[in-house]
Amino acid sequence: MQLVVARIGRAHGIKGEVTVEVRTDEPELRLGPGAVLATDPASVGPLTIETGRVHSGRLLLRFEGVRDRTGAEALRNTLLIAEVDPEELPEDPDEYYDHQLMDLDVVTKDGTEIGRITEISHLPSQDLFIVERPDGSEVMIPFVEEIVTEIDLEEQRAVIDPPPGLIDDRAEIASARDAGTAAEGEPAPEGKA
C-alpha cells in the first residue's frame, strides 16, 4: 500500500537541500537516509534520500543526484510516497494510519449512527474526520481524545462524544433566536446582522 509521507517545499541553500512538509508520524522510519520513495508526479522519481537534518524546526532533505539549488527547486511540490505493508501498525497503540480509519462507521456513545469516515484532513492544529451522513451531507469531527472516545478496528467503528452543536442543529436555534430579536425592532447583536 502506498502512503504519502511528505511534500517537498522550497530549496534551502545552494547545495541541493529542500524543506519538507512531513505527513507521517514516523519521519525517522519513512524519511531516513537510504529510503527510496516513489513520487507524484511519477516522472520525478523515484528519489533516494541521501541526508536529512533538522534546521530551525524544519526537516531538510538532500536526494541522491541533486547537487544544486536549481535541481532542488525542480522538486518543489512533489509528493513523496512510501510503500507500507497494509498489516503494519504504528508503534503507539493510540495511533492509526489513515487507511485503518477510512470507512469506519461513526456512532455516538449511545449507539446513534452518525455516518462513515470518507476522508481524513490533516490540519496544522489537529486532524479532522470528514464523515458522510446517511442523508449524503457531511460533518467534520475533530480527531481529539475528548470527542473521539474509542476506535474499534475489529468492529470497524469510531465512537464519539460530540459537544452540543457539532453534529446536531442545537447551535442553529440560538442564532434563530437572535434573528427573531432583531426582527422585533431591536438592534441585532453586534456581528449578527
Side-chain angles (χ1 to χ4, degrees), residues 101-170:
L101 301 171
M102 293 298 291
D103 292 325
L104 291 184
D105 292 322
V106 178
V107 297
T108 60
K109 289 190 314 183
D110 65 9
T112 304
E113 181 185 349
I114 303 303
R116 183 172 292 243
I117 298 172
T118 57
E119 184 181 340
I120 298 159
S121 181
H122 300 281
L123 304 177
S125 59
Q126 67 191 17
D127 295 336
L128 287 176
F129 290 159
I130 310 301
V131 177
E132 184 176 322
R133 301 184 80 166
D135 66 5
S137 65
E138 288 185 338
V139 63
M140 292 183 274
I141 310 283
F143 187 22
V144 294
E145 192 174 344
E146 296 80 23
I147 296 173
V148 180
T149 59
E150 179 186 356
I151 298 290
D152 187 338
L153 295 178
E154 284 187 26
E155 295 292 323
Q156 287 290 290
R157 68 183 187 144
V159 179
I160 65 170
D161 184 13
L166 184 64
I167 58 172
D168 55 28
D169 57 5
R170 283 183 270 178

Side-chain angles (χ1 to χ4, degrees), residues 12-45:
H12 179 84
I14 60 171
K15 296 183 179 177
E17 285 185 310
V18 294
T19 61
V20 177
E21 175 189 312
V22 177
R23 295 188 180 176
T24 176
D25 289 337
E26 302 168 316
E28 64 286 343
L29 176 66
R30 308 279 180 225
L31 300 171
V36 179
L37 302 166
T39 60
D40 182 7
S43 60
V44 175

Side-chain angles (χ1 to χ4, degrees), residues 31-136:
L31 300 171
V36 179
L37 302 166
T39 60
D40 182 7
S43 60
V44 175
L47 294 173
T48 302
I49 297 174
E50 187 174 285
T51 63
R53 66 186 178 103
V54 176
H55 175 73
S56 298
R58 295 210 63 136
L59 180 60
L60 302 178
L61 297 179
R62 180 177 305 146
F63 299 99
E64 289 181 6
V66 179
R67 294 281 169 243
D68 59 19
R69 187 174 185 87
T70 303
E73 264 311 318
L75 298 175
R76 192 172 191 164
N77 292 322
T78 298
L79 296 177
L80 299 175
I81 302 166
E83 190 65 39
V84 177
D85 180 350
E87 301 302 315
E88 182 181 330
L89 299 174
E91 289 180 18
D92 185 337
D94 291 330
E95 290 182 0
Y96 303 92
Y97 292 129
D98 286 4
H99 71 271
Q100 294 175 292
L101 301 171
M102 293 298 291
D103 292 325
L104 291 184
D105 292 322
V106 178
V107 297
T108 60
K109 289 190 314 183
D110 65 9
T112 304
E113 181 185 349
I114 303 303
R116 183 172 292 243
I117 298 172
T118 57
E119 184 181 340
I120 298 159
S121 181
H122 300 281
L123 304 177
S125 59
Q126 67 191 17
D127 295 336
L128 287 176
F129 290 159
I130 310 301
V131 177
E132 184 176 322
R133 301 184 80 166
D135 66 5

Side-chain angles (χ1 to χ4, degrees), residues 171 174-176 178-179 182 187-193:
S175 61
D178 291 342
E190 205 167 307
K192 301 265 188 191

